[in-house]
Amino acid sequence: MIVFKHIAKEFYQKKKKVVALNDVSLEVQKGDIYGIIGYSGAGKSTLIRMVNGLENPTSGQIIVDGKDIQTLSPNEKILNKKKISMIFQHFNLLESKNVFDNVALPLKLRNESKDAIDRKVKEMLSFVGLEDKDKNYPNQLSGGQKQRVGIARALVTNPEILLCDEATSALDPKTTKSILKLLKRVNEQFNITILLITHEMEVIRDLCNKVAVIENGQLIESGNVIQVFGQPKEQTTKDFVETVIPNKIPKDLLDFYQKNQQSYTLLRLKFLGENTASSLLYQLNKRFNHVESNIVFANVTELEGTTLGIFTIAFSANESNIQEIKAFIKEFNVIVEDVKI
Ligand SMILES: Nc1ncnc2c1ncn2[C@@H]1O[C@H](COP(=O)(O)OP(=O)(O)OP(=O)(O)O)[C@@H](O)[C@H]1O
């Protein structure tokens, strides 16, 4: 429903060309919660701002619901914008207006009736859990409450797409979790497609079903969250994944296995779903009961309701046994990788 086709964007800073985006292609399906992650300056904001026309590409196309948004007539552009709402890192509330009036603003701009505005604003304030704060002003609210107002304001117009620009970056971890839960409800309850940008992998882990990684204006990796977290290909993606799924062997164990490299081979096992792991480890010990095996590192993470487990195991076995062990592990649909130490 949102397709970016070969998007490039160049800016000029003091007559110097800055390539913010270079040949970015991406498809967001209806109902997706698609996260775009990258370091500062990677080009995330520039990309997301193109969906609602805040930024235009230098070349390439953005197709929303089958239509290239750059070729829309002025009326069609207005209709396209009506489908899309946005929330921001610093909430962008009007300090001089109370919560009710902030949320009501998009409807007033559309000349909706007073009754309709009253009903819709109350409904959305109740949805975000702020029905008793309607008379408060933004400076009387916490950061999390301000973002809830931002979300209510974004929802009053019944959008199909919600763009989130670092929506939780200004919030503490606990408040971030509650806002991410709320965004999940927005997606599930109203079937709103969410396209978000972030530099925090926790946001991707806790909220998204799809992820794209942007580096220096290029899309370096994308796919289902489970697939990208389970098997990151690019170094930057691996670095991001490691921020939420630690993968490092503790130092004293590392020292030991480095000193005893002749005797041990370290393998990393990656699996989805709890039963696979317990059954595999049991079967592995049973089948290779003459081989010493020590768990060196283990981590279990929940992604989209599925368990992603990473185990690093040191095997004291000869090369032909190691090959047999690897083949045996693969029969369980578990990914097995050599660990270089
Ligand atoms: N209006 C502009 N004029 C000139 N250069 C710009 C403009 N907007 C963005 N850039 C440049 O484009 C590049 C990408 O910026 P962008 O804001 O899209 O990155 P980002 O990934 O969103 O970073 P951050 O997380 O820090 O916001 C940067 O080098 C930035 O300096």
Side-chain angles (χ1 to χ4, degrees), residues 11-13 18 20 39-47 55 166 197:
F11 290 109
Y12 283 86
Q13 289 177 4
V18 176
Y39 295 118
S40 186
K44 308 179 294 292
S45 300
T46 308
L47 188 67
E55 207 73 78
E166 297 278 5
I197 59 172

Side-chain angles (χ1 to χ4, degrees), residues 244-246 271 274 277 297-302 306-311:
V244 286
I245 306 182
F271 60 88
E274 276 171 76
F297 174 86
N299 183 281
V300 176
T301 306
E302 197 187 311
T306 304
T307 310
L308 170 67
I310 302 181
F311 280 31

Side-chain angles (χ1 to χ4, degrees), residues 174-191:
K174 194 165 167 231
T175 312
T176 292
K177 283 220 182 297
S178 75
I179 295 294
L180 296 181
K181 264 194 185 158
L182 178 60
L183 289 173
K184 191 116 193 152
R185 272 177 55 217
V186 167
N187 169 261
E188 287 171 357
Q189 204 159 321
F190 303 116
N191 196 22

Side-chain angles (χ1 to χ4, degrees), residues 86-93 128 130 141-154 164-171 175 179 182-183:
M86 192 162 185
I87 57 171
F88 306 88
Q89 178 175 6
H90 297 296
F91 325 119
N92 292 15
L93 304 180
V128 301
L130 290 181
L141 302 175
S142 68
Q145 289 170 333
K146 284 183 197 174
Q147 194 56 288
R148 283 171 189 271
V149 177
I151 292 170
R153 181 183 56 187
C164 307
D165 186 348
E166 297 278 5
T168 55
S169 297
L171 305 174
T175 312
I179 295 294
L182 178 60
L183 289 173

